[in-house]
Amino acid sequence: MSDPNPPLPVQPLAYATPVGYQHNVSLGPWSDGPQLITPTSMVLPSRCVKCNADCEGYWLKKTYYWHTPALFFLIIFPGVLIYAIVAMIVRKSATIEVGLCPVHRKRRFNFIVSAWALAGVAIVLVIVGLGLNGSRSTESLGAMLALLGIPVLIAAIVMGVVASRVALSPTKIDARFAWFKGAGAGFLATLPAAR
């Protein structure tokens, strides 16, 4: 006895694979001119992000933060405290592991050590300067040393910021992607262009 509802033959779908389609689509990173674009969480390739040399298995894991530059106007009007609170609330973050070669690792280390050394000198200048304010003969020298500690401390802070940005500096971060400046041209040349 034959089946009253025989199965229909399977028909192939009438479309072609789209041009440019790749089964394993890259998840980043990409280059966009002088900028590096990554997802907000990524381990970069095993090459120095500055010079494209072998990073010898070393990655610097860093969380970068960014907010729209328009928030800096809050410093002028409501003040630094309001700016800091709003910036903490609305900032976006990206955690990236960046490869650094021995040369750029040493440069970053030197900046960090120099920043801490300058901060120590600034603290000593202020303490010694305040200690010399007790007698009239050394009062002017003490004031001068204490005041000299302020620009030295500012220099230490600037050097610390430079040390933290030896690798990359964010120009924009949104919910999915992060844009960075500071990657070397050789490293960027090895990446696919952003679409």
Side-chain angles (χ1 to χ4, degrees):
M1 184 167 176
S2 65
D3 187 4
N5 297 322
L8 297 172
V10 177
Q11 298 291 326
L13 297 175
Y15 73 88
T17 302
V19 175
Y21 173 80
Q22 297 175 353
H23 182 68
N24 294 321
V25 178
S26 175
L27 299 176
W30 306 276
S31 65
D32 185 19
Q35 290 198 94
L36 170 69
I37 303 173
T38 71
T40 55
S41 180
M42 166 156 251
V43 177
L44 291 180
S46 178
R47 297 186 312 276
C48 180
V49 75
K50 302 303 275 182
C51 66
N52 203 39
D54 183 16
C55 71
E56 300 176 358
Y58 175 87
W59 279 271
L60 171 67
K61 185 175 183 177
K62 189 161 170 35
T63 301
Y64 296 90
Y65 298 99
W66 179 86
H67 62 72
T68 177
L71 287 183
F72 288 120
F73 287 111
L74 292 176
I75 295 174
I76 298 169
F77 300 113
V80 174
L81 181 61
I82 300 297
Y83 157 75
I85 293 169
V86 172
M88 292 282 288
I89 293 169
V90 302
R91 70 183 180 177
K92 304 286 187 197
S93 66
T95 302
I96 310 296
E97 293 188 45
V98 178
L100 288 175
C101 68
V103 171
H104 286 98
R105 264 189 309 231
K106 185 172 182 182
R107 185 176 298 170
R108 179 177 182 272
F109 176 78
N110 289 343
F111 270 114
I112 291 170
V113 168
S114 300
W116 279 109
L118 275 177
V121 168
I123 291 168
V124 167
L125 285 171
V126 170
I127 291 172
V128 169
L130 293 175
L132 290 176
N133 278 339
S135 75
R136 292 182 182 222
S137 61
T138 59
E139 192 170 308
S140 61
L141 177 62
M144 189 171 69
L145 287 176
L147 287 174
L148 181 61
I150 295 170
V152 173
L153 183 60
I154 292 170
I157 292 169
V158 169
M159 194 165 283
V161 169
V162 169
S164 72
R165 294 185 175 208
V166 162
L168 296 172
S169 178
T171 58
K172 180 182 176 185
I173 299 175
D174 65 18
R176 295 177 56 209
F177 299 105
W179 288 256
F180 296 97
K181 64 181 179 181
F187 179 80
L188 290 171
T190 65
L191 303 178
R195 294 177 184 170

